[in-house]
Amino acid sequence: MRVHNFGAGPCTLPVEVLEEAREEFLDFAGTGMSIVEMSHRSPAYDAVHSDALARARRVAGCPDDFSVLLIQGGATLQFAMAPLNLLGPNERAGYVVAGSWGAKALASARNAGAAYSAWSGSESGYTRMPASAEVEAGLEPGTRYLHVTTNETIGGIRMVEFPDLGMPLVADMSSEYLVRPIEWWRYDMVYGGVQKNLGAAGLALVF
């Protein structure tokens, strides 16, 4: 009997995908080895990698001026990688803290650079998302980017009105990748763990 996991963690993968992986595990594409045993610089692996990036871009409708990255560590690693890569000297990052994941992202960002809460729903028990005017009121001088979590699954709230405040917007979309169209003009960076909608846990898809 096939068991389906409907939890908020690792998703259920299509049976045909699992069967194909099983069939190719000992001999991938006639190479005589599994894909996890070969060099990441080999033509066979590079073809799979490049095709995966192209498919991710196409399905997400991502414009050509974005790079597409597959990075280990899931979304949690991006909590630290975003500020480490985006913040320069004397720059700060503002965070919308609308739930548990936004709070975790802010905590990691504070360890990696100067970050603060531009808006927090903690006092109301994380029961709503903010209006753009509320976020704008909490922005501080020298803010390099604003970080949002578009869907706070633990609290069960989803961002409908996205801040458009004339600054780079970074979004964690782990819980709703490919669920609704992404308005790419709003964002400078979009990331998410793939385990909810796209694949196995432990990987992040970063635009």
Side-chain angles (χ1 to χ4, degrees):
M1 182 180 68
R2 176 78 175 145
V3 176
H4 293 277
N5 176 18
F6 291 103
C11 68
T12 298
L13 296 173
V15 172
E16 54 268 31
V17 171
L18 298 174
E19 289 177 341
E20 183 177 346
R22 179 181 63 191
E23 292 170 5
E24 295 179 335
F25 199 72
L26 294 179
D27 184 3
F28 177 76
T31 60
M33 67 179 72
S34 71
I35 195 169
V36 298
E37 295 173 291
M38 66 180 61
S39 169
H40 63 283
R41 297 182 181 91
S42 66
Y45 174 80
D46 186 64
V48 173
H49 185 82
S50 298
D51 183 58
L53 298 182
R55 287 171 185 250
R57 182 187 297 279
R58 184 175 69 251
V59 173
C62 181
D64 291 338
D65 58 340
F66 281 78
S67 296
V68 186
L69 307 172
L70 295 172
I71 301 179
Q72 65 185 12
T76 304
L77 183 59
Q78 294 305 307
F79 293 168
M81 285 190 72
L84 285 171
N85 283 280
L86 299 180
L87 290 180
N90 302 317
E91 291 182 331
R92 301 164 60 76
Y95 279 69
V96 172
V97 183
S100 299
W101 295 114
K104 291 177 186 293
L106 175 58
S108 291
R110 282 175 169 159
N111 290 329
Y116 67 93
S117 173
W119 182 87
S120 175
S122 60
E123 290 187 3
S124 63
Y126 297 133
T127 56
R128 69 179 183 91
M129 290 286 183
S132 291
E134 293 178 291
V135 178
E136 185 174 19
L139 292 177
E140 299 180 1
T143 300
R144 172 70 177 85
Y145 67 84
L146 178 68
H147 180 283
V148 298
T149 306
T150 61
N151 192 336
E152 287 283 1
T153 49
I154 294 177
I157 55 175
R158 186 187 197 203
M159 185 167 279
V160 176
E161 179 185 348
F162 296 92
D164 184 14
L165 304 175
M167 68 172 52
L169 189 62
V170 175
D172 173 5
M173 292 191 176
S174 297
S175 298
E176 56 179 8
Y177 252 159
L178 306 186
V179 172
R180 58 175 164 172
I182 297 173
E183 297 174 307
W184 291 101
W185 61 271
R186 293 183 181 275
Y187 302 101
D188 285 68
M189 177 181 171
V190 171
Y191 70 89
V194 304
Q195 72 275 6
K196 307 231 179 194
N197 300 328
L198 303 178
L203 186 70
L205 176 61
V206 182
F207 295 98

